Amino acid sequence: MRIVRVLMVVAIVFLLIAFGFSKKNWDEKIGQHAQKASVHTVNKVAEAESSAEKEEVETVADDSEETETSDVKDEEAEASEPTEEKVEEKSEFYTLLANQKISSIKLLGDGITAGYGHSAYLAPDGGRIIFSGNGETFREAGKEFGSWANELRNYVDKPEFGNIEVVNAGIRDKTADWAYRNLDGLLKQEEEAVIVMIGTDDRIFSSLEAYEATMRNLLAEVDKRSEYVVVMSPPPSKEDLKLYKFTMEEIDGVLKKLSEENGYLFVSQFDAFQEQLANGVAYESLMQTESSNPQNGGYELIWQTMQEELGLE
């Protein structure tokens, strides 16, 4: 019985020793596994963080490239977009001047083209001959006073326009009918640019229908002989100075119609003066009261209107 107890004690001790040894091995294995799992987790986290950093770097790089590309595109767009100066369209007349395509301008008209009525008007006593025929000789008016013709002459006298000759063939008291009949003495067979303003005195000697027919023929011949034509209507004047047969407003209407039909550049001095008069400008500050000629203020307005309509900066 005692032996049995001893054996049982021995067995219990053996079991306890075996259990302790197994538990130690088990704990070591658990620890090793946990360590491996921890290392694996750390590596995964490190890889994740590295991947995230890499993605962030790539994202930043992509954003940077997109920004640079966007900036380049914006710069290219800005460079390709025309500036305000480029967008602004120049008139054909100004473009011809700027490209030095015009070397001469002929002015065809009556006393208003000559500059008669201006306080500093210089009689054409010593000027160059602008017409000679049928027993008549006419010279060019002086160049040293503020007529619209002289303002134009001064304007085109710039190095960037080249050498431009302005010939003022305005003759006092002459009509469109006279100019048409004597056109060979006033114009060459080939002119470059011609500006025509005539008709004020036709009211005395002609009818509106005859004036329209004359101007149609006159402008057609001018157009045939020149490369560029400008038609201007004369300014309004008093209608009670003489027994006129038609009005300045009717002259303006005829010239507008002919210009539209034939593609001439038209400048309505009549409308420009009427606008000023409607705004309260005194008639006497623009026109003489005893004739149909402008005075100093009127010549200034004619030139201002020409600058606006012809695009002269």
Side-chain angles (χ1 to χ4, degrees):
M1 187 68 179
R2 184 173 180 165
I3 294 173
V4 172
R5 288 181 179 177
V6 170
L7 290 175
M8 289 179 62
V9 170
V10 171
I12 291 171
V13 171
F14 179 79
L15 287 174
L16 289 175
I17 293 172
F19 178 77
F21 180 79
S22 298
K23 184 175 183 301
K24 180 180 179 182
N25 290 340
W26 176 257
D27 289 340
E28 289 178 354
K29 289 182 179 181
I30 292 295
Q32 291 175 355
H33 181 74
Q35 184 178 5
K36 289 181 180 180
S38 176
V39 171
H40 180 71
T41 302
V42 169
N43 290 339
K44 286 291 186 178
V45 170
E47 289 177 1
E49 290 177 350
S50 176
S51 176
E53 290 176 356
K54 183 177 180 182
E55 289 178 359
E56 182 178 357
V57 170
E58 290 177 350
T59 301
V60 170
D62 291 341
D63 291 343
S64 176
E65 290 178 358
E66 290 178 2
T67 302
E68 291 177 359
T69 303
S70 177
D71 291 341
V72 170
K73 289 182 178 179
D74 290 342
E75 290 175 1
E76 291 177 350
E78 290 176 0
S80 64
E81 289 179 359
T83 61
E84 183 177 351
E85 183 178 355
K86 293 180 181 178
V87 170
E88 181 183 354
E89 294 184 2
K90 305 294 185 182
S91 72
E92 182 181 2
F93 188 72
Y94 182 88
T95 301
L96 290 172
L97 291 175
N99 292 330
Q100 299 188 12
K101 299 296 185 182
I102 296 178
S103 61
S104 67
I105 303 174
K106 179 67 67 66
L107 313 180
L108 184 62
D110 51 28
I112 299 177
T113 300
Y116 187 72
H118 193 283
S119 61
Y121 172 75
L122 298 176
D125 296 331
R128 61 182 160 186
I129 295 176
I130 53 177
F131 177 84
S132 181
N134 304 323
E136 296 180 298
T137 298
F138 299 101
R139 295 181 179 272
E140 188 176 22
K143 302 177 182 180
E144 304 301 325
F145 68 100
S147 66
W148 68 263
N150 288 337
E151 294 289 356
L152 175 63
R153 178 182 283 113
N154 294 335
Y155 176 84
V156 300
D157 186 21
K158 297 177 181 178
E160 59 263 37
F161 296 151
N163 186 20
I164 300 178
E165 180 186 38
V166 177
V167 179
N168 185 355
I171 303 174
R172 282 183 60 192
D173 302 326
K174 295 304 181 183
T175 63
D177 179 68
W178 182 91
Y180 178 59
R181 288 185 286 105
N182 294 278
L183 198 59
D184 287 340
L186 296 167
L187 292 185
K188 297 181 293 187
Q189 289 301 314
E190 292 185 2
E191 299 277 0
E192 292 188 3
V194 179
I195 301 177
V196 182
M197 183 172 66
I198 195 167
T200 300
D201 293 320
D202 286 81
R203 296 176 298 161
I204 304 171
F205 307 104
S206 184
S207 66
L208 182 62
E209 292 74 19
Y211 172 73
E212 179 175 343
T214 298
M215 287 303 300
R216 185 181 296 276
N217 294 331
L218 172 63
L219 294 175
E221 188 63 29
V222 170
D223 189 27
K224 186 187 302 182
R225 298 188 185 196
S226 63
E227 298 179 9
Y228 194 81
V229 179
V230 178
V231 179
M232 294 204 301
S233 63
S237 69
K238 290 184 175 296
E239 299 295 342
D240 57 356
L241 298 174
K242 295 183 180 181
L243 296 176
Y244 297 126
K245 298 180 180 180
F246 50 98
T247 67
M248 298 300 293
E249 184 175 8
E250 289 173 312
I251 288 177
D252 181 73
V254 164
L255 297 178
K256 279 180 182 176
K257 181 175 75 171
L258 294 178
S259 297
E260 290 174 357
E261 290 176 356
N262 297 282
Y264 309 135
L265 176 60
F266 179 66
V267 178
S268 178
Q269 297 293 349
F270 182 88
D271 286 348
F273 275 67
Q274 289 289 73
E275 181 179 353
Q276 293 297 310
L277 296 174
N279 290 333
V281 176
Y283 178 86
E284 294 77 11
S285 68
L286 302 175
M287 299 293 296
Q288 292 186 340
T289 56
E290 70 280 4
S291 75
S292 298
N293 297 294
Q295 57 175 317
N296 295 21
Y299 281 110
E300 291 175 5
L301 179 56
I302 291 175
W303 171 237
Q304 177 184 330
T305 303
M306 289 182 66
Q307 286 182 290
E308 293 173 355
E309 297 299 322
L310 295 180
L312 306 181
E313 299 177 341

